Amino acid sequence: MTTNIQIENLKCGGCAATIKKGISAINGVNDVAVDVENSIVTIDSENTNLADIKEKLSKLGYPEVGDKNTVLHKAKSFVSCAVGKMDS
């Protein structure tokens, strides 16, 4: 099953690296692609609960568009971005 989720706070390849790493760790996720320009995460998974994926994205600081995008989310995305840049 392939799912597209539009997210907030996605700025760069560092953000994308953190998202790929975080979502890939969820059991049942086969592949993760991040479209930085359009802020879309594409997930290929088997029997994976979409709520789990959206919750993980939110915890990383990248809530789905339409969900609450708080100052805390923005702060977390800043940290995730920096960590992603260091890892890549």
Side-chain angles (χ1 to χ4, degrees):
M1 170 178 89
T2 302
T3 308
N4 291 326
I5 303 172
Q6 189 161 19
I7 58 171
E8 302 276 6
N9 305 329
L10 180 60
K11 298 173 208 67
C12 66
C15 299
T18 298
I19 291 168
K20 282 183 186 179
K21 188 175 181 181
I23 300 304
S24 294
I26 296 173
N27 198 18
V29 172
N30 298 326
D31 191 35
V32 180
V34 181
D35 179 346
V36 176
E37 274 186 32
N38 297 304
S39 295
I40 294 173
V41 180
T42 302
I43 298 122
D44 178 26
S45 63
E46 311 165 11
N47 307 320
T48 304
N49 186 345
L50 198 53
D52 291 345
I53 291 171
K54 290 179 181 181
E55 184 181 338
K56 180 69 173 183
L57 283 167
S58 186
K59 282 182 179 175
L60 289 170
Y62 306 99
E64 183 177 20
V65 168
D67 279 0
K68 286 184 182 170
N69 187 17
T70 64
V71 171
L72 184 60
H73 284 114
K74 291 174 183 169
K76 284 181 181 176
S77 73
F78 183 79
V79 172
S80 290
C81 175
V83 169
K85 283 180 181 173
M86 285 187 285
D87 286 350
S88 57

